[in-house]
Amino acid sequence: MTNTVFILNGPNLNMLGKREPGIYGGKTLDQIGDDCRDAGKEIGIDVDFRQSNHEGVLVDWIQEAGAAAKGLIINPGAYSHTSIAIHDAIRSVSPLPVAEVHLSNIHAREEFRHHSWVTAVATGMICGFGPYGYTMALHALAARF
Ligand code: DQA
């Protein structure tokens, strides 16, 4: 089994850098991807970093992770708060370890962000630490391999 971790990013995360920098910071998604690949290299993990604005594409990729990856990190963006399809896709790849990541602290924001359909089916959730949350999640998954 390879040491590949899929890192999936949902809608509007391709806008990082320009999008509400006061909330999400100034790093672009490409920079976060580079940071993740670097962090992965240090701990022997191949990172497959992707983004889509489409719910069904994210579902396809979660299923692909179930067959091809040792772990999954997902920032589902706004789909966290709405998507039973993503919740079900994660259940379908059990027992794949899954880390949910949010750049912002969703519990300190609007009430509609307080609930995530993903959290209950993830191994764990990290939020509020900006891009560093992805690196934390990589280390957390690696500790389980
Ligand atoms: C987010 C939080 C979500 O509420 C929001 O819809 C996003 C980004 C985060 O990383 O903080 O798109 O997932």
Side-chain angles (χ1 to χ4, degrees), residues 10-13 16 19 23-24 75-81 100-106 109-110 112-114 127-128 134:
N12 300 306
L13 292 166
L16 289 179
R19 176 192 180 196
I23 295 175
Y24 298 115
N75 181 347
Y79 287 141
S80 317
H81 317 301
E100 178 184 2
V101 169
H102 299 280
L103 296 155
S104 63
N105 180 349
I106 56 175
R109 300 184 61 195
E110 303 96 323
F112 64 83
R113 296 186 202 275
H114 292 184
C127 73
Y134 289 82

